[in-house]
Amino acid sequence: MEEDTQWKGIENGIDDPEELQVIYRTLDSYQQYAKVAHFQCTHVRRQAFYALPQAHWQRLAAPPFNYLDTLDKIDDAIESNAELARIIFKTGLEMFHVGVPSETGDVKLPPQWDGSAKPNDIDKARSTIRQFYRDWSAEGAREREASFGPAMRAIDAEQESRGPDHPPLKVLVPGAGLGRFVFELCMRGYETEGNEISYHQLLASSYVLNCCQQAGQHTIYPWINTFSNHRSRANHLRGYPVPDIHCATKLAQTRRAGTMTMSAADFLCLYAQEDRAAAYDVVATVFFLDTAPNLIRYLETIFHCLAPGGILVNMGPLLWHFEGRVWDRDEHEDGEGDASHDTSGIADPGNFELTDEEVMALVAEVGFEIVSQETGIEAPYIVDKESMLQTTYKASAWVARKPATAAAAAAAAAATV
C-alpha cells in the first residue's frame, strides 16, 4: 500500500503482562485452529458414525451418501481454512517480534505459550476466519452493501453538503473488525481511522490489508463447522476465494484515495482522552453500538470526539453483547458507582439493554439532534443464502448531529428532559 494508507500493525513494546497474555493466546488460537477443527468437525463424527450398527454405517458409507468421503472433504476444507489461520499466526509473530527460532529455521511461540489458547480463544479464531466471507469475498458484497451502504450514503451526503471546497471528512470507525469498511471509506477519499479492541480481528485485518499478496490467495469454507440445515452437500462444502481484491493494487488504481489508520485499543479508554476532543467530522458505528455494556458511556465518548456540527452515523441491530453479564458488587470498592468519566472501558461494572426507541431517546438526551432514522432494514450477517435456516436482522439506520455550539447542545439535551 501507499505509505499514507498503510496500517503497519500494532506498536511493539507492549509491557503489560495481561495484554501480552492475550496476544500470545490469540496467536496460539490461530496456530491451534486446524487441530481443534479436525477434532470437533470430523474426529468425533467418525467415532459416532462407527458406533452405529454395522449395517447402518455401511449403508451410509456407500453411494449415494458417501458419508466417510464427506468427512474426508471436510478435513480438506479445514486445511484450506488453516492455511489462512497459519499465515495470520506467522505474520502476527513477525508483527510483535515475539517468536523464537524453531528447529526448521522458522519462528514459533515461546514454549510456555504454546498451547495456551483457551476454547473461547479458538472459537474467536474460527469465527474470524468465517467472517472473511462477509468482509473479503465477492459473495459477501450483498451483506456489505446492506450494512455499509446506508452509512456510506449518509457520509457522502454530509461531504456534499459541506461544499466542493471542503477537505475530506475525518471519519472514525469504532469496531472496525476486519477493516473492509475502513478500506472502502479510504477508497472514497475520506481520512479514515478504524478502532478495534479484538486482537483476533486486528491480526487478521493487518494481514489482509498489508501482507496478502494477491486477490483470491486463499479459499475459505465458512459453512463446514455445522452439519445442519444444508440443502445439499455441495453447498455445505462450498469454498470462496478471499480476498476478492488486492488492497494495494486497488489503492494504486484510485486517483483520490484518502488515508487509513487503525488503533488497537478500548474505544472508551482511548477516545475519551482530551487529545481526541472534537477530532472527527463523522463517527460511523456499524454493528457496534450493541457491543456497549453502558451505552451512555459510548454516546458520551462519541459526542466528545466529534467536532461541533459533526455527525454520528449508525447502522445495526440491538444484539446486546453483555446481556446476562453478572456484576459482583463485592469486587468493586465504590459499589454505587460515581459520576466521574474515569473508565476502564468495557470492563466497567454494570450493564443495561434498551429498545430501539429508547436508544433514540438516549441519543437525544446526550445532546445530539436526530437528523434521520430508518428502521426495518434487512441486514444479514454471515448468512448462507442456500441454508434451510435464514436469519436476518431488521436493523435501524440513523444519523444524529452534534450541535454546532455548546448552547445549542445544552438546549437540545434540555428539550428531551
Side-chain angles (χ1 to χ4, degrees):
M1 290 187 187
E2 297 295 324
E3 184 67 22
D4 62 350
T5 58
Q6 182 174 0
W7 172 37
K8 300 180 179 64
I10 305 161
E11 293 181 3
N12 298 315
I14 296 173
D15 54 9
D16 182 336
E18 291 187 3
E19 188 168 6
L20 281 169
Q21 182 182 43
V22 172
I23 292 169
Y24 280 122
R25 283 169 46 186
T26 301
L27 288 166
D28 187 54
S29 70
Y30 282 112
Q31 179 181 235
Q32 288 198 52
Y33 165 80
K35 179 179 71 174
V36 173
H38 282 304
F39 177 81
Q40 294 179 342
C41 289
T42 57
H43 177 74
V44 295
R45 282 187 171 84
R46 287 188 176 95
Q47 288 183 317
F49 184 78
Y50 284 118
L52 292 168
Q54 183 175 6
H56 292 181
W57 71 252
Q58 286 180 336
R59 173 182 290 184
L60 293 172
F65 310 104
N66 301 308
Y67 193 78
L68 291 175
D69 290 344
T70 293
L71 296 182
D72 288 342
K73 291 175 181 177
I74 294 289
D75 279 325
D76 291 341
I78 289 169
E79 282 303 308
S80 186
N81 288 352
E83 178 188 345
L84 176 57
R86 292 185 187 108
I87 199 165
I88 292 172
F89 166 73
K90 180 180 178 181
T91 55
L93 287 176
E94 295 170 352
M95 179 190 302
F96 290 112
H97 302 286
V98 294
V100 296
S102 69
E103 298 78 7
T104 62
D106 295 326
V107 291
K108 62 180 183 178
L109 280 174
Q112 66 270 32
W113 296 107
D114 195 23
S116 63
K118 307 298 183 186
N120 186 52
D121 300 314
I122 299 170
D123 285 344
K124 290 178 181 178
R126 179 173 61 245
S127 175
T128 302
I129 291 168
R130 189 165 171 258
Q131 192 173 331
F132 271 80
Y133 166 79
R134 171 181 172 83
D135 280 28
W136 293 102
S137 78
E139 291 79 2
R142 170 174 165 264
E143 292 193 9
R144 293 195 298 274
E145 168 56 28
S147 296
F148 301 164
M152 287 195 290
R153 287 189 288 274
I155 297 169
D156 289 345
E158 179 67 13
Q159 179 74 63
E160 185 177 353
S161 73
R162 299 196 179 194
D165 297 327
H166 193 280
L169 297 174
K170 295 181 179 179
V171 183
L172 171 63
V173 180
L178 294 186
R180 184 62 182 258
F181 187 41
V182 173
F183 178 81
E184 294 296 340
L185 289 171
C186 173
M187 290 283 293
R188 295 168 95 94
Y190 299 113
E191 296 183 25
T192 313
E193 178 177 338
N195 164 249
E196 178 57 55
I197 192 173
S198 165
Y199 279 118
H200 283 89
Q201 302 274 308
L202 286 160
L203 290 171
S205 63
S206 177
Y207 168 69
V208 73
L209 288 169
N210 297 321
C211 305
C212 193
Q213 297 178 351
Q214 61 186 25
Q217 184 169 342
H218 306 278
T219 299
I220 61 162
Y221 295 82
W223 320 129
I224 60 171
N225 297 109
T226 175
F227 278 55
S228 299
N229 287 313
H230 294 292
R231 294 184 186 276
S232 70
R233 199 60 72 190
N235 183 68
H236 184 196
L237 294 165
R238 182 177 296 171
Y240 303 87
V242 296
D244 59 317
I245 58 172
H246 182 237
C247 294
T249 300
K250 200 74 173 176
L251 283 168
Q253 295 171 345
T254 303
R255 289 183 54 213
R256 296 186 178 179
T259 61
M260 177 172 58
T261 59
M262 190 81 80
S263 67
D266 187 307
F267 172 71
L268 293 175
C269 294
L270 179 59
Y271 293 94
Q273 295 177 8
E274 279 307 310
D275 64 347
R276 303 286 177 155
Y280 306 94
D281 301 304
V282 179
V283 176
T285 54
V286 176
F287 278 69
F288 176 72
L289 288 186
D290 55 4
T291 68
N294 182 348
L295 183 59
I296 296 174
R297 281 273 170 87
Y298 266 31
L299 293 173
E300 289 176 339
T301 301
I302 292 168
F303 196 90
H304 166 78
C305 67
L306 270 176
I311 59 171
L312 164 57
V313 177
N314 179 70
M315 168 65 190
L318 292 176
L319 180 64
W320 295 107
H321 289 210
F322 285 85
E323 183 172 355
R325 180 173 74 166
V326 178
W327 174 46
D328 187 347
R329 183 182 298 274
D330 294 335
E331 293 181 358
H332 302 274
E333 295 181 358
D334 52 346
E336 296 299 328
D338 62 86
S340 75
H341 288 272
D342 294 335
T343 178
S344 54
I346 62 172
D348 280 346
N351 52 278
F352 62 89
E353 303 83 37
L354 299 180
T355 67
D356 194 41
E357 290 180 344
E358 291 167 337
V359 168
M360 300 312 300
L362 183 58
V363 169
E365 281 201 7
V366 169
F368 288 97
E369 299 171 345
I370 307 301
V371 176
S372 64
Q373 182 185 18
E374 182 181 357
T375 60
I377 301 172
E378 292 197 359
Y381 198 97
I382 317 181
V383 172
D384 175 8
K385 64 180 184 295
E386 300 299 328
S387 171
M388 298 168 71
L389 174 65
Q390 297 291 307
T391 303
T392 300
Y393 293 108
K394 296 286 189 176
S396 178
W398 45 266
V399 177
R401 188 177 301 279
K402 178 177 179 177
T405 66
T416 65
V417 177

